[in-house]
Amino acid sequence: MTSDQPDTNAPEEAYVWIWLPGATVPVVAGRIARDGDRLIFNYGQSYLDRNDGIPIYEPELPSRSGAIAPEAGLGMAACLRDAAPDAWGRRVILNRTFGRKGKDVDIAALDELTYLLASGSDRVGALDFQHSPSEYVPRAVQAATLEELLSAAEKVEQGAPLSPELDLALFHGTSLGGARPKAMIQDGDTKMIAKFSSLTDTSNVVKAEFVAMRLAARAGLDVAPVRLAHAAGKDVLLVERFDRAKTNDGWTRRAMVSALTLFGLDEMMARYASYEDLAEIIRHRFISPKATLHELYGRLVFNVLCGNTDDHARNHAGFWDGEHLTLTPAYDICPQSRTGDVASQAMLIVGDNRASTLATCLAAAPNFQLSENAAKDIIARQIATIRDGWNEICEEATLTDVERNLFGERIFLNDFVFEGRAEGLR
C-alpha cells in the first residue's frame, strides 16, 4: 500500500487458534469473518468435538455450533479484541505498512482483521490468528539486543523506516497492549516485556513505574516482577510475563480476559467502567472472591497513593481456564505526572466518584467486603510501606535528586489524596 486510504484488499476472515490449558501447541478453535462492520465468530466442529476443548470465554463465546455475533455495541467479541494490538502495536504495523508516512496515518487505514493477522504471534493470553485452519505458522521472531530494539522504537515514534532486521525484531511485540513503546524479549526460561521511554516523556516514566511496582510488591500486593536495565544510555523496564510458563515440552500459555471484556464494554465506553462493578463481578464469578476483593482494594488504594491514574479497564485482567476466573498479577502501575494537585482515576471508584483520594477509597470499602477500620488498616500499612521503603527503592532505581524530589513531592503520597475524611491518615 502506498496511501493511507483503507485497504480494499483487506482480509475477509481469520482463523482463531488457541493454546488449551497446559498445552504447548495450539489447535484451531474457530473462524471470524466479516459481516458488514462486525466480525462474526463460529466454532469449528472439530473443536466442539474435542473432549478437552474449552469456551474461549463465557458467556461471550459459549461452546456451541452456529454463528455468534458480538454483543450490542461491539464490532467483535471483546475476548478476541483483547488479543489484538493496541496503540503502540498499531503504530509499528502502520510504520511497516506505510513506511515514513506511517507516523501520520490514521489507524483506521487498516481494519481489525488486518491488525489481528499482521501482529506478532506471541500475544498476551492464549490466542493467535492465522490465515489457515489447518497449518499454524507463527509470525517470525528476530533476535535483537535491547539497544537495537530501543533504536527501532524511537524510529517508529519519529516515523522513520526500519531496516528489515529491526522491523522483524520490533514486530514481535506488535500484539502487546498499551500506547507506550515496548518489545518482547526472552531471558533463558523467562519471557519479558521491555518498556522503553518515549520521545514525548517529560519525566522518567520508566523509573517511576519501576519504583511503583517494587513498592506495590513490598506492600504485599500480587505484582508482576520487574527489574531495570540500561541500553544506549537509557533506562528500560523489564516486566516478567505471567501468562507464559516454560516446560520440558515448550511454552504453555494462560488465557486472559481484560476487565473491559468482563464489563462487556469497548474502548469508547471505557469511561463507564468502575471498581464497584468489577467487585460485583468478582463476587459472582471469581474463585476465592473475598481474598480477590481484598487484593483488588489494595491495588485501588495503591494506585491512588502512588499517583497511577491510568488504571483503566484494560489494566486489570483475569485468567480464564474454561470455567473459572482468577485475578492476574498487577501490571502497568505507572505513576502519572500532574500539573496540579487534583486528580481522578481512570475507572470510577464508587457511584459517579472517581476522585483520587483516600476518602473515596474508604467510601468504596463495603463493596470489597471490608469494614472502615479494615480499610484504614490497609491504607495505613501501604503508607508506611511507601515511606519505610522509599529510600531503598529509590537507591535501587538510581534516582537522581531531581527525580526523587519530583516523585516524592508531586506524585507519590500527593497531598490531594488525604483531602476529606482521610486527613487523619496522613
Side-chain angles (χ1 to χ4, degrees), residues 15-72:
Y15 292 90
V16 182
W17 290 65
I18 186 171
W19 277 255
L20 294 170
T24 56
V25 294
V27 295
V28 66
R31 168 180 173 267
I32 46 174
R34 193 186 310 281
D35 178 28
D37 294 333
R38 303 183 305 168
L39 295 177
I40 307 297
F41 178 79
N42 280 267
Y43 279 106
Q45 191 57 48
S46 62
Y47 184 77
L48 294 174
D49 290 341
R50 297 181 66 96
N51 293 326
D52 58 351
I54 65 171
I56 292 176
Y57 172 62
E58 283 187 322
E60 191 173 41
L61 293 181
S63 296
R64 64 172 174 82
S65 299
I68 305 177
E71 298 291 331

Side-chain angles (χ1 to χ4, degrees), residues 144-160:
T145 65
L146 279 177
E147 287 81 0
E148 290 170 330
L149 289 168
L150 182 60
S151 173
E154 289 180 346
K155 287 180 181 297
V156 168
E157 286 197 286
Q158 295 164 348

Side-chain angles (χ1 to χ4, degrees), residues 217-236:
R218 282 200 173 198
L221 298 176
D222 181 17
V223 180
V226 296
R227 66 178 188 259
L228 274 178
H230 304 278
K234 297 189 177 181
D235 301 302
V236 180

Side-chain angles (χ1 to χ4, degrees), residues 128-192:
D128 193 22
F129 303 88
Q130 297 278 307
H131 290 282
S132 169
S134 57
E135 181 183 12
Y136 180 78
V137 182
R139 258 79 78 190
V141 176
Q142 176 75 31
T145 65
L146 279 177
E147 287 81 0
E148 290 170 330
L149 289 168
L150 182 60
S151 173
E154 289 180 346
K155 287 180 181 297
V156 168
E157 286 197 286
Q158 295 164 348
L162 300 177
S163 68
E165 294 77 19
L166 285 186
D167 181 56
L168 279 177
L170 201 61
F171 165 76
H172 185 41
T174 50
S175 53
L176 292 172
R180 295 187 57 78
K182 57 182 67 69
M184 292 187 191
I185 64 171
Q186 183 173 330
D187 182 10
D189 291 343
T190 304
K191 290 195 174 188
M192 295 178 290

Side-chain angles (χ1 to χ4, degrees), residues 65-232:
S65 299
I68 305 177
E71 298 291 331
L74 301 180
M76 64 188 297
C79 60
L80 301 181
R81 174 61 181 85
D82 279 342
D86 279 335
W88 172 251
R90 294 178 188 230
R91 287 184 66 178
V92 176
I93 292 169
L94 289 171
N95 181 280
R96 74 179 345 215
T97 304
F98 297 103
R100 185 175 295 276
K101 288 184 62 179
K103 178 177 182 292
D104 302 312
V105 173
D106 189 331
I107 60 172
L110 300 177
D111 73 316
E112 287 295 338
L113 274 177
T114 298
Y115 282 121
L116 291 174
L117 290 166
S119 47
S121 290
D122 198 9
R123 63 189 73 240
V124 171
L127 300 179
D128 193 22
F129 303 88
Q130 297 278 307
H131 290 282
S132 169
S134 57
E135 181 183 12
Y136 180 78
V137 182
R139 258 79 78 190
V141 176
Q142 176 75 31
T145 65
L146 279 177
E147 287 81 0
E148 290 170 330
L149 289 168
L150 182 60
S151 173
E154 289 180 346
K155 287 180 181 297
V156 168
E157 286 197 286
Q158 295 164 348
L162 300 177
S163 68
E165 294 77 19
L166 285 186
D167 181 56
L168 279 177
L170 201 61
F171 165 76
H172 185 41
T174 50
S175 53
L176 292 172
R180 295 187 57 78
K182 57 182 67 69
M184 292 187 191
I185 64 171
Q186 183 173 330
D187 182 10
D189 291 343
T190 304
K191 290 195 174 188
M192 295 178 290
I193 297 172
K195 304 180 78 170
F196 308 120
S197 59
S198 170
L199 296 176
T200 60
D201 287 344
T202 56
S203 62
N204 196 322
V205 176
V206 168
K207 283 187 175 180
E209 184 170 349
F210 172 81
V211 171
M213 294 284 281
R214 292 285 290 114
L215 285 171
R218 282 200 173 198
L221 298 176
D222 181 17
V223 180
V226 296
R227 66 178 188 259
L228 274 178
H230 304 278

